[in-house]
Amino acid sequence: MQYAFRQSPLYGMVCGLFITIILTPGAAAMDTILDDYADAERQVRLDWRVVNDNVMGGRSRGRFDLRDGHLVFAGSTNTNGGGFSSIRAGGLNLDLSASGGIRLKLSADGRQYTWRLTTDATWRGRQVAYWASFKTSNGPDQIIDIPFSDFVPRFRGMTLPGPVLNPARITGMGLMIYDGLDGPFELRLQQVGSFQADSPVTLKSLRWQKRVLVLSAPSVSDNQMAAQMEAIRGYEADMAERDLMAVILTPDRAYAWPETVQAAWRQELGLPSDGFALRLIGKDGSVKRRADAAVSMTEIFAQIDGMPMRRREMRERQTH
């Protein structure tokens, strides 16, 4: 499921919009297995090392060890400083250009984590890192897909306008927690791999898992599309909290969905091909909002927060 855009001034703004889908254990097998801690005979151990915020004077703690068929990444974050802990593996030479993104099999604690990739790309002579955040559930046996188009180019905490991630030239990977919260964390990683690029995403496949904000336009530079991108910018965490993901239907993308897939979404939702359209889809698969102009995220969040299912989710999360 790829939603990337051609490099442009809007690229850095758009790349952070896509909230990763948490799949059920019945999801398809991995396209490529990069590391497998549950099967001793198949392990291709990534050479992990710890990098915590103490490199910049922070107070977070983190470590990893192998336990019960998992790589256990655990510690405690402290936002009185850098506020992050990470493990990283370098020295890779991976061509994943035939894949759609990174697939993780894990157990976790419900916090938000970040997967990190590096390539040979540089910015002002320094290596660029690509970040993609994903929300976990509190429990075992989660399969999380992170499309390559989710990865945002970063340098020392600053979002860059490019270059676009080239999955054919991956030199390093990392797992990081940097969610702005204090306290203990634990993520148990069982398997790292990639998923196939040609599996279409449908509204039916997202039902009961995600709310979907569908944005359609003839071009990513359409005035209303640009206005909606600006409205969304900076609200990634709020979207993740509401299990809200954005789907962009527009032809000018570096890793575009096949036209047949886009056409199926437009037909199912009654979207025009010659103008901007917004649809807010609830977890039950029904359309909750229609608009032909950009809508503020405060309006969208207010509508979602008033939904009975969302209210029930908030009550349940408060009790945990």
Side-chain angles (χ1 to χ4, degrees), residues 13 85 133 174 241 250:
M13 185 189 307
S85 176
S133 295
E241 167 64 22
T250 182

Side-chain angles (χ1 to χ4, degrees), residues 92-235:
L92 306 180
N93 183 19
L94 298 175
D95 180 355
L96 298 180
S97 57
S99 300
I102 300 298
R103 174 168 287 175
L104 308 175
K105 185 175 182 180
L106 54 83
S107 302
D109 53 10
R111 290 184 65 172
Q112 179 173 292
Y113 291 82
T114 296
W115 197 258
R116 186 179 184 272
L117 294 176
T118 57
T119 67
D120 56 2
T122 61
W123 184 78
R124 296 184 179 178
R126 304 297 294 272
Q127 187 178 50
V128 173
Y130 295 86
W131 294 13
S133 295
F134 59 93
K135 181 73 173 175
T136 66
S137 299
N138 186 2
D141 299 326
Q142 300 171 47
I143 297 177
I144 295 183
D145 281 355
I146 313 175
F148 285 132
S149 55
D150 277 13
F151 286 89
V152 179
R154 302 285 295 263
F155 177 73
R156 291 184 177 177
M158 177 176 61
T159 300
L160 304 176
V164 176
L165 173 68
N166 183 355
R169 305 182 69 89
I170 294 174
T171 61
M173 295 189 174
L175 172 62
M176 177 168 59
I177 185 164
Y178 190 31
D179 59 357
L181 301 177
D182 292 313
F185 66 87
E186 182 175 292
L187 184 147
R188 301 167 63 90
L189 188 61
Q190 181 176 330
Q191 198 174 71
V192 181
S194 63
F195 62 87
Q196 295 181 356
D198 57 357
S199 300
V201 182
T202 65
L203 275 175
K204 184 178 180 180
S205 71
L206 299 176
R207 195 176 182 187
W208 306 119
Q209 298 186 65
K210 290 290 176 181
R211 298 177 179 92
V212 188
L213 186 65
V214 181
L215 308 175
S216 176
S219 169
V220 72
S221 59
D222 174 89
N223 288 339
Q224 291 301 321
M225 179 68 85
Q228 191 65 57
M229 295 300 98
E230 181 63 31
I232 291 176
R233 186 178 186 180
Y235 284 105

